[in-house]
Amino acid sequence: MKSEELFTTAKTCLPGGVSSPVRAIKPYPFYVKSASGAVLKTEDGASLIDCCMGYGPLLLGHANPVIQKAIEAQLDAGWLYGTPTKLEIDLAQRIIRDHSSIEMLRCVSTGLEATLAAIRLARGFTGKCGIVKLEGGFHGAHDAVLIAAGSGATTHGTPDSLGVPPSFAAQTRQVPYNDTEALEELLSKDKEIAAFILEPVMGNIGPILPDDGYLAAVREITAAHDVLLIFDEVITGYRLGIGGAQKKYGIKPDLTTLGKITGGGLPIGVFGGRRDIMELISPSGGVYNAGTFNGNPLSMAAGIATNVYLHENESLYGKLDEKTRAIEESLPAKASGSFVRLGSLFKYFFRSTAPGNYLEAKQSDTAAFRVFFEHALKSGVFIPPSQFETNFLSTAHDASSMEKIISVYQHV
């Protein structure tokens, strides 16, 4: 197999043979040669229906012609200037129009950079150092949030990686998702919390959905304790609909982070929010943020094309919801697990009931998931290789793609 040979070579020059841990599929990963629509073509000559979609951002499928045309046009004009462009103004205005909570924003290169900058900004604005995150919540691999999940109602963080100073982790507290009592208890005791950062819908461990009233209560509690609320919508932004989870659930956070869907699948991150907070970002204020690729013209052009398309074809969100509903309704009666879906996000948990937080998700039968993953892959369907990663559909998943996906889920 060519992929096996490539992995053997990769291990000589890449740590673990991969560029990101989630790609380390055992005994070796498959290598993609090309992708179009909903299909991946591997170096081994296989065609796979993709239910990973770049871990979410490829809402319109691989090599979407509308986005490709915008990229090609920008390539002819150059792809890196290191100067302001009209493109960044255009995209910023569109994002602001789509989010009532965002009055100003800055474009960076990754979701990691966006969450890092939002946390730094929250600390600069409030003058406080502590932050709260969810147990199991992932906001990029930077020191402040690369913290192991605890098991109590409220926990102090411990580093989840070598190289993270314990003093950094000590500034991070954790609470369970869907537990407002734990959040209230923590904020009542600790007056040095600058912000609570959370995915409104847990995407990196799910999807795990908010209980009725949970997000509204979080907004009320954080406001009462003068703690900034940061919605990490790197996954849910533009994936759940124009305006993301905050529009769907009617919540107005103080700061928001967005990710690669905003750039049509190209490298981009966005952090934005209230004007009085955002004006602290340099050069207008004292919270530093900079990057040569901030506002990169290729990502801006792809983002504008994506935004225009979504506004012109907003009905696509309802059609994607129908597709995940079709998977759910086709599950065999003998299925003993739980199927969770929201719009184009979905996951089958090998657990009798849908998890409501990280610790419940971790009770899933990972061995059973592994058997299912291997069955899906052999059947020509690629799902994220972890029980704890969300599956995604795109507008490119046509009737034949859905037929194959549904046939795979007959074997859960």
Side-chain angles (χ1 to χ4, degrees), residues 20 57 92 120-121 126 134 177 205 227 234 246 266 270 329 334 342 412:
S20 185
R120 179 184 296 164
L121 177 57
T126 63
L134 294 174
Y177 188 58
I205 195 70
V227 170
V234 167
Q246 58 192 263
L266 267 65
V270 174
E329 292 177 348
K334 66 178 180 62
L342 185 65
V412 292

Side-chain angles (χ1 to χ4, degrees), residues 69-239:
K69 183 178 179 180
I71 294 171
E72 290 173 348
Q74 185 56 47
L75 282 172
D76 289 339
W79 49 86
L80 179 62
Y81 306 142
T83 67
T85 68
K86 180 178 178 293
L87 294 168
E88 61 189 311
I89 300 172
D90 188 345
L91 183 58
Q93 289 176 330
R94 292 174 182 275
I95 294 170
I96 290 168
R97 175 198 59 197
D98 293 339
H99 299 81
S100 62
S101 70
I102 300 178
E103 297 174 332
M104 300 184 82
L105 62 81
R106 177 162 289 178
C107 292
V108 290
S109 295
T110 65
L112 180 156
E113 290 181 46
T115 59
L116 185 155
I119 289 170
R120 179 184 296 164
L121 177 57
R123 286 171 164 158
F125 181 79
T126 63
K128 298 182 284 189
C129 293
I131 64 167
V132 181
K133 64 180 286 289
L134 294 174
E135 290 180 351
F138 182 75
H139 307 287
H142 57 94
D143 290 353
V145 292
L146 199 59
I147 306 300
S151 58
T154 61
T155 59
H156 287 259
T158 57
D160 201 24
S161 169
L162 296 176
V164 178
S167 59
F168 283 27
Q171 301 294 338
T172 302
R173 315 286 188 266
Q174 298 185 95
V175 294
Y177 188 58
N178 282 323
D179 190 336
T180 54
E181 290 183 3
L183 180 64
E184 174 63 42
E185 179 184 357
L186 174 60
L187 297 187
S188 295
K189 293 179 178 178
D190 193 335
K191 300 304 180 182
E192 290 303 313
I193 300 298
F196 178 29
I197 183 169
L198 78 160
E199 293 179 285
V201 174
M202 292 192 77
N204 273 293
I205 195 70
I208 299 177
L209 310 185
D211 292 342
D212 290 344
Y214 171 68
L215 295 175
V218 164
R219 175 66 283 184
E220 183 178 337
I221 292 167
T222 52
H225 291 281
D226 199 25
V227 170
L228 296 185
L229 178 60
I230 304 173
F231 268 14
D232 180 353
E233 296 222 46
V234 167
I235 288 180
T236 55
Y238 289 101
R239 172 55 82 165

Side-chain angles (χ1 to χ4, degrees), residues 379-395:
S379 302
V381 175
F382 173 52
I383 60 175
S386 169
Q387 172 71 97
F388 312 114
E389 291 280 356
T390 295
N391 300 358
F392 301 94
L393 294 182
S394 75
T395 58

